Amino acid sequence: MSITRLAVISGFLAAIIAAVVIEALARRPQSRIPRFGEVAAVVMRYDLAGIPVGRLALLGFWFWCGWHFLAR
Amino acid sequence: MEQPEDLVAERSSPWLSRYLVLPVFVPLSLLGGLFPSFSLEANLYVLLLGGAMLTAGLSSRLPRLTAPAVLPPGVVWWLVPIGIFVIFEVITYAFGSTHDFPTLSLLADPLLDGYLMRSLGYFGWLTIFWGMVRR
């Protein structure tokens, strides 16, 4: 395995581990860190001229992720 | 998006409705695992499920969980994993997503070739999608 491939895999693993740790910290009582679902909920609430652009963006992004990873 | 009061579910009440649908995702995921990548069946299946979820998510008929009015300052911590991910994804994409510089999807492809992991992938995708629909 090349050093660059190892570094890239380590980077992605670091991102995943960091997300799990932050989510765990957010779930403690009285935490000042919001859960990821709460962050997503606030983003999804964003409207522009009556169009739910935040909701469209996140749902559309996740739709694309499913297609990208599972269908192509 | 503003919700009528009767359609906004409280955080303490939606446990049942949130998890009640998960058993429905099991057969859907087991079926999806049968369709290989790049197949017409996989494309149609993802478009069907994703389209249904997207429609449900944009519908105002489903009750939604309450969202916080303001996020606490600790929200910036989420920039750490997102930032790390974006940096590595952009760099590997810029290098052409090769064996030595693989994007996440290139790394995931061999994992998602197996039936079990593929089915688990469908289950995770649907579960998170449902969680977003309920938000």
Side-chain angles (χ1 to χ4, degrees):
Chain A
M1 182 184 291
S2 70
I3 189 73
T4 56
R5 184 175 173 86
L6 187 62
V8 169
I9 293 172
S10 302
F12 283 129
L13 283 176
I16 293 168
I17 291 168
V20 170
V21 169
I22 292 170
E23 180 68 20
L25 292 173
R27 286 172 181 267
R28 292 179 310 170
Q30 308 301 320
S31 176
R32 292 171 60 83
I33 303 173
R35 297 177 185 186
F36 190 76
E38 293 171 333
V39 179
V42 170
V43 173
M44 291 176 83
R45 214 174 44 197
Y46 181 72
D47 284 11
L48 192 63
I51 300 168
V53 287
R55 195 164 189 81
L56 274 170
L58 285 196
L59 290 174
F61 171 72
W62 196 244
F63 192 165
W64 176 83
C65 282
W67 177 78
H68 183 66
F69 282 92
L70 298 169
R72 61 148 298 283
Chain B
M1 177 183 284
E2 283 296 315
Q3 286 292 299
E5 194 171 331
D6 57 336
L7 292 182
V8 177
E10 292 300 324
R11 171 167 289 286
S12 58
S13 66
W15 191 95
L16 191 62
S17 57
R18 189 192 297 184
Y19 295 104
L20 201 64
V21 298
L22 295 188
V24 177
F25 294 158
V26 173
L28 291 174
S29 304
L30 293 174
L31 179 61
L34 295 173
F35 305 135
S37 282
F38 298 102
S39 67
L40 176 64
E41 294 90 339
N43 274 279
L44 291 176
Y45 196 64
V46 167
L47 289 176
L48 178 73
L49 292 180
M53 284 290 194
L54 190 64
T55 304
L58 294 175
S59 165
S60 57
R61 296 186 176 204
L62 286 177
R64 293 178 188 160
L65 298 169
T66 52
V70 179
L71 291 173
V75 68
V76 294
W77 280 104
W78 281 109
L79 293 177
V80 175
I82 293 171
I84 294 172
F85 174 80
V86 167
I87 287 169
F88 278 90
E89 188 71 3
V90 167
I91 289 173
T92 51
Y93 187 79
F95 275 90
S97 189
T98 60
H99 180 269
D100 287 343
F101 291 93
T103 54
L104 184 64
S105 61
L106 192 65
L107 288 170
D109 279 345
L111 296 175
L112 292 173
D113 274 345
Y115 174 71
L116 180 61
M117 289 301 289
R118 195 164 182 76
S119 298
L120 284 173
Y122 268 99
F123 188 77
W125 179 60
L126 288 170
T127 302
I128 293 173
F129 218 148
W130 181 245
M132 294 168 73
V133 166
R134 301 266 296 143
R135 284 287 177 178

